[in-house]
Each structure stands twice: as C-alpha cells, then as structure tokens.
C-alpha cells in the first residue's frame, strides 16, 4: 500500500495507485451485477448494504480476530438480497452451480 | 493485513484457463441465471465494471483537490458543502450520499474508515482499495490510528491531532490533503496528477518528487 511517487511523476493518473482492485475476475463480475441490478431499481443499494453488514458481522462473530475474503461475503449478501425479493431462489442457484461445477474440463462457454 | 490465502488463490487463477473456485462457479451461475431471466446482459455488466474501474477512479477526487488548492473560493465552498461543490464537475457514477470534505492542516490530520462495512466516496475515489475492507484496518484505525498510520508509512508528529471519520450509508468523507511544497508553479491539471487516492483517504502524505530533486 505504499505509494510510488516516481510513477505518479511520470504523469500516470492515480486510477488505482498500482494496486489491483479485484483479486479474481469473478469478483468484478459480482460487483458489476450488484451495481447494475440496483441501478435498474430491483433493490435499493442501502438494502444490499444492510445484507452485506449482516454477512460481515456474522462472519466476524463466528471467527473473532480472523481475516476474511470480502467478495465471498459480498456474493452471499447479493444472493440474500435476490432471494428475499423473490428474484432468484437459493435452490435454483445451487442447482445451476452444481451443473457448472460438473462440466468436463476444457468446456466451451 | 493481507489474507494468507490470497497467494494461493492467485496461483489457482493463473494455472487454469477458467477460474474453478466454488465462488467463481457460483458467481458464473448467478450471472447465467439472471441473463436467462432477462434481468441483465453480460455486456451491461462489462460496462458497469469498466465504469467503476476506469472512468470513476480517484482521478475525480484528485481534480477536486487540485481545484481547492488553486481556488480559495472553491475550497471554501467544498469544505462548507462537499456534495454541492462537486456538482460543479458533473462526474458520472451516480452517488446520492452526502459528501463531507475534511481539510488537513499543520496540526490536524484526518483519516477515513467505514467500521461497519466498506462505505466509500465512490463518486470521487472510485472503488475502495482492498485494505480499506480489511477487518484489521476497520478496527485498528479507530483504536490506534497513530500506530496503524505509522505502519502504513505515515509517521505523524506527536503534536498532530488525528480525527477518524466513520463513513455511513448517508455520509461519505474525503480528505483534502495539504498542498506539497514546491508546487506553486504547477497548473491545476499538473497538481491533480500528484494527488493520490491514499492521501484522500488520509493514510498517506503527498510529495512532489520532481521539485524535491531540484
């Protein structure tokens, strides 16, 4: 998290300050989906935020003092939000997830 | 502060053509189902990601800071009502939360956190850095700000007072850093290039390297 002033001196705009914002592509997909559905009015961002706080607090209560991965909790909060609004059921999601997990290696999208 | 599993996950991603972690597959299934239901298109998700990763970066905040350094009247408006003052820039990225800008000074240093989750002034700073969401940052910056800032490379004199601002759903904070010495001759655009995201969160000071070398 240190700042490389040499880089900045070269005129690079401080977009991410040399740090990746997402560890893996799926994290940016989930972030994009959550923002998009909120912008489309399926839920208020504040309601999603409340779900996220609940997920983080539950995790912290269960694992005091330990670190966590942020985006898995973000994904859980999103599925909570979608399920509570009847947009996407958890069983439907799990079935698709299992089907995807059992695809043969080298599958084509 | 970094999670110990991070390196392992990086390795997984790089060794496989497709990300096969359970979360990656869950995310892929979620997107596929939402597309099937006609609620979104993959290209729309792409657009949102690009918008937040590239178009709404800390550059917006840097432009605000640079103008405040150049224009005392704007600085006054910005500190009085941040939400209204940044409307002068017409940034994209739709943030409806109130923005409060707090100015560092010779004996006062401000730093921003969200103790509950990850609230962040997106409209001016883009997406939060990974460490901003880390439980260690969220708790320690409140409990022992001077010590944590020191560990992050920002040593503050004992006489400097530290104010920690806790973001919420309603109010987002941004720090107006002090203008570095030796930048008198720079234009507003040049000034914006030396403003960093970390300085606007309050975990770093700004320097002007080119000037220091003279």
């Amino acid at each position: 998290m240190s700042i490389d002033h040499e880089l900045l001196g070269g005129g690079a705009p401080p977009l991410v300050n040399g740090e990746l914002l997402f560890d893996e592509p799926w994290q940016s997909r989930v972030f994009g989906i959550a923002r998009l559905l909120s912008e489309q009015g399926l839920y208020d961002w504040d309601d999603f935020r409340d779900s996220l706080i609940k997920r983080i607090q539950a995790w912290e209560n269960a694992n005091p003092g330990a670190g966590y991965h942020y985006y898995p909790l973000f994904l859980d909060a999103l599925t909570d939000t979608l399920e509570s609004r009847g947009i996407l059921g958890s069983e439907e999601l799990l079935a698709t997830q299992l089907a995807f997990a059992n695809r043969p290696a080298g599958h084509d999208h | 502060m970094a999670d110990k599993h991070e390196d392992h996950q990086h390795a997984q991603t790089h060794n496989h053509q497709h990300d096969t972690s359970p979360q990656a597959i869950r995310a892929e299934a979620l997107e596929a189902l939402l597309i099937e239901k006609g609620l979104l298109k993959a290209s729309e998700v792409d657009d949102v990601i690009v918008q937040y990763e590239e178009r709404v970066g800390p550059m917006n905040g840097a432009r605000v800071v640079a103008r405040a350094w150049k224009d005392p009247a704007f600085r006054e408006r910005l500190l009085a009502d941040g939400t209204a003052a940044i409307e002068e820039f017409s940034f994209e990225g739709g943030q409806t939360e109130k923005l409060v800008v707090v100015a560092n000074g010779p004996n006062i240093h401000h730093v921003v956190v969200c103790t509950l989750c990850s609230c962040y002034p997106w409209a001016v700073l883009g997406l939060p850095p990974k460490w901003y969401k880390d439980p260690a940052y969220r708790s320690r910056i409140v409990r022992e700000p001077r010590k944590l800032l020191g560990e992050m490379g920002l040593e503050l004199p004992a006489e400097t007072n530290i104010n920690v601002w806790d973001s919420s759903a309603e109010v987002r904070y941004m720090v107006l850093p002090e203008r570095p010495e030796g930048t008198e001759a720079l234009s507003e655009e040049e000034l914006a290039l030396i403003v960093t995201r970390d300085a606007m969160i309050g975990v770093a000071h700004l320097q002007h390297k080119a000037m220091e070398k003279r």
Side-chain angles (χ1 to χ4, degrees), chain A residues 24, chain B residues 5-16:
Chain A
E24 299 171 41
Chain B
H5 298 299
E6 229 164 53
D7 290 342
H8 176 62
Q9 290 213 342
H10 271 300
Q12 273 188 343
T13 312
H14 294 154
N15 290 340
H16 292 75

Side-chain angles (χ1 to χ4, degrees), chain A residues 1-37 39-40 42 45-46 49-50 52-57 59-60 65-76 78-80 82 86-90 92-103 105-109, chain B residues 1 3 5-6 9-10 12-13 17-19 21-34 36-37 39-46 48-49 51-59 62 93-94 97 114-119 122 125 127-131 133-135 138 152 167-170 172 192-200 203-209 213:
Chain A
M1 78 187 69
S2 67
I3 295 173
D4 191 336
H5 295 284
E6 292 286 354
L7 274 180
L8 294 169
L15 284 176
V16 293
N17 286 355
E19 180 183 20
L20 290 172
L21 295 168
F22 300 103
D23 287 326
E24 299 171 41
W26 72 264
Q27 299 176 350
S28 61
R29 300 303 299 171
V30 167
F31 172 82
I33 291 167
R35 286 302 300 172
L36 184 63
L37 294 182
E39 283 168 17
Q40 290 176 348
L42 265 68
W45 188 255
D46 283 353
R49 176 184 174 271
D50 289 342
L52 179 57
I53 290 171
K54 272 187 204 146
R55 282 288 184 172
I56 290 176
Q57 286 175 343
W59 203 98
E60 286 182 337
Y68 57 76
H69 286 298
Y70 177 81
Y71 277 102
L73 298 176
F74 188 101
L75 174 56
D76 288 341
L78 178 59
T79 57
D80 290 347
L82 296 177
I87 297 167
L88 184 64
S90 56
E92 187 182 6
L93 177 60
L94 187 60
T96 306
Q97 186 183 343
L98 289 174
F100 280 12
N102 290 323
R103 286 174 300 202
H107 71 91
D108 192 16
H109 279 294
Chain B
M1 261 203 246
D3 193 290
H5 298 299
E6 229 164 53
Q9 290 213 342
H10 271 300
Q12 273 188 343
T13 312
Q17 198 179 355
H18 294 288
D19 195 346
S21 74
Q23 282 110 2
I25 292 171
R26 189 170 169 81
E28 193 189 342
L30 175 70
E31 183 171 350
L33 285 169
L34 292 170
E36 199 177 294
K37 289 173 190 292
L39 293 170
L40 52 81
K41 296 190 184 96
S43 61
E44 293 172 337
V45 180
D46 295 341
V48 173
I49 295 168
Q51 182 189 343
Y52 279 94
E53 274 195 319
E54 293 174 18
R55 296 208 295 272
V56 187
M59 199 61 213
E97 298 85 6
C114 172
T115 55
L116 278 179
C117 52
S118 53
C119 293
W122 291 2
L125 296 190
L127 292 175
K130 274 182 271 181
W131 53 261
K133 296 169 267 188
D134 191 293
R138 290 167 34 227
M152 294 172 84
S167 311
S168 68
E170 293 79 28
R172 306 295 162 92
L193 290 175
I194 65 170
V195 181
T196 67
R197 177 200 67 202
D198 287 6
M200 293 183 281
V203 300
H205 272 321
L206 292 176
Q207 293 162 23
H208 185 41
K209 206 83 178 179
K213 282 176 185 162

Side-chain angles (χ1 to χ4, degrees), chain B residues 73-88:
Chain B
F74 175 74
R75 179 192 161 99
E76 215 166 284
R77 290 199 296 280
L78 182 67
L79 296 179
D81 184 346
T83 317
I86 66 160
E87 276 173 19
E88 299 174 24

